Amino acid sequence: MSRPLLPLKAGAIIFTLLWTAWMMWWSGSFSSANVVILAMCGAAVGYLWYRAMRWQFERMGMLPRKDDSSHAS
């Protein structure tokens, strides 16, 4: 795991957990099917949030770009 991305990945995990918990509370149904569906949707939303934030932070210059390979040779 790359050090510059560690806070972003932790933030994505926290966002996923909070989003999933909020959707479960908002739906009011705690059936097993609802929990499974919301967990899968939460994982998808968390991943999309991570990708969007990584793209935005790379654009703003807060993260190194993927094509910037600074190998010490």
Side-chain angles (χ1 to χ4, degrees), residues 14-49:
I14 291 170
F15 178 79
T16 299
L17 293 174
L18 289 174
W19 187 90
T20 303
W22 175 259
M23 288 295 116
M24 289 172 74
W25 178 80
W26 183 68
S27 72
S29 173
F30 296 103
S31 67
S32 59
N34 192 39
V35 170
V36 168
I37 289 170
L38 287 176
M40 290 189 310
C41 290
V45 166
Y47 178 74
L48 292 173
W49 184 84

Side-chain angles (χ1 to χ4, degrees), residues 62-73:
M62 296 172 66
L63 287 174
R65 294 187 184 268
K66 287 180 252 181
D67 56 354
D68 288 346
S69 55
S70 57
H71 297 294
S73 311

